[in-house]
Amino acid sequence: AQTVTQSQPEMSVQEAETVTLSCTYDTSESDYYLFWYKQPPSRQMILVIRQEAYKQQNATENRFSVNFQKAAKSFSLKISDSQLGDAAMYFCAYRRGLTGGGNKLTFGTGTQLKVEL
Amino acid sequence: EAGVAQSPRYKIIEKRQSVAFWCNPISGHATLYWYQQILGQGPKLLIQFQNNGVVDDSQLPKDRFSAERLKGVDSTLKIQPAKLEDSAVYLCASSLSQVLGYEQYFGPGTRLTVT
């Protein structure tokens, strides 16, 4: 079974600074996807960024980028130029690849990000 | 494009009572998911539908939970009877297709409190 681990329950960052959230996962499969979701107090899960395991290049979406280390099974999220609106719970998630059948998401326990003025 | 709709947003019931949640996915989305999110944890899949058929219900407590998607569009999740440990946020998500691995879009969730 796949597992996703987020070892940082809480993180804080100053506005305009950079913060990195950590995530490790365990799988025996070679075809999979990794995601970071943001969940604000409204509870709506919002997709921040995705990474396909077969791609060596790290994904980037504006101020958000990932450091994907496949051999180490590590998938960290870097938020640059942090803004007050970035404050939320962030979840790392895993999904089997298309060849694995089914596409349920397996989530970590989350990291609460606080952004301070 | 309208997002995933869920109702109610909040529900408080006593243990042993029954409760039902409703989800309307994004128009045209064939795959629908129900996740349970207990406080302090990440969401956990309860059941996945492809059109009106069940794809995965391996983590659904079938002695008390049931779900249906009769016409392949909206879905209802029911708990009967509820236990204290069922207190959680119930998230519904939908995607165009599970086969092609399209992204899942989440609704705002229903927060259930069992007293």
Side-chain angles (χ1 to χ4, degrees):
Chain A
Q2 296 80 27
T3 59
V4 177
T5 302
Q6 294 179 251
S7 58
Q8 305 157 314
E10 286 188 5
M11 293 284 286
S12 292
V13 63
Q14 297 285 328
E15 195 178 18
E17 297 296 309
T18 296
V19 65
T20 299
L21 308 184
S22 302
C23 172
T24 58
Y25 60 95
D26 188 25
T27 183
S28 58
E29 299 173 338
S30 58
D31 180 23
Y32 54 88
Y33 297 80
L34 296 166
F35 305 84
W36 279 98
Y37 278 88
K38 170 184 178 181
Q39 187 178 43
S42 67
R43 301 197 302 267
Q44 186 114 24
M45 298 285 278
I46 302 165
L47 178 64
V48 175
I49 198 165
R50 65 179 268 173
Q51 174 79 42
E52 292 85 346
Y54 63 85
K55 289 187 178 179
Q56 293 186 338
Q57 186 173 7
N58 290 323
T60 299
E61 288 288 342
N62 300 314
R63 298 183 294 107
F64 299 87
S65 61
V66 298
N67 184 4
F68 174 46
Q69 301 290 325
K70 190 171 183 179
K73 295 180 181 176
S74 170
F75 182 62
S76 61
L77 174 70
K78 185 172 82 171
I79 306 175
S80 304
D81 186 25
S82 296
Q83 301 175 359
L84 293 177
D86 295 333
M89 182 72 86
Y90 285 80
F91 289 96
C92 179
Y94 169 100
R95 189 185 80 198
R96 297 170 73 180
L98 301 182
T99 56
N103 63 342
K104 74 173 185 181
L105 291 167
T106 300
F107 289 87
T109 52
T111 296
Q112 182 70 51
L113 178 66
K114 298 180 181 179
V115 181
E116 300 169 342
L117 293 171
Chain B
E1 169 179 271
V4 177
Q6 289 187 248
S7 67
R9 291 295 310 276
Y10 304 89
K11 189 73 176 180
I12 301 174
I13 61 172
E14 295 182 351
K15 60 183 178 183
R16 291 187 290 275
Q17 286 187 324
S18 62
V19 64
F21 312 127
W22 175 80
C23 172
N24 193 29
I26 293 173
S27 178
H29 280 197
T31 312
L32 186 147
Y33 314 78
W34 283 102
Y35 289 86
Q36 179 193 55
Q37 185 178 15
I38 294 173
L39 185 64
Q41 300 180 18
K44 179 187 77 173
L45 181 73
L46 290 176
I47 189 167
Q48 176 183 345
F49 291 96
Q50 177 71 14
N51 295 309
N52 60 354
V54 175
V55 175
D56 183 354
D57 64 355
S58 58
Q59 298 193 85
L60 185 74
K62 298 180 184 63
D63 58 332
R64 299 182 301 105
F65 285 66
S66 65
E68 59 184 15
R69 193 185 184 201
L70 294 176
K71 296 182 178 179
V73 181
D74 57 347
S75 174
T76 302
L77 176 69
K78 297 179 181 178
I79 308 174
Q80 182 179 6
K83 293 185 175 181
L84 295 176
E85 58 261 36
D86 298 332
S87 293
V89 174
Y90 291 84
L91 296 167
C92 180
S94 71
S95 66
L96 270 173
S97 167
Q98 66 148 356
V99 175
L100 297 180
Y102 288 106
E103 303 306 335
Q104 295 181 29
Y105 295 87
F106 285 81
T110 296
R111 181 182 295 279
L112 173 67
T113 302
V114 182
T115 62

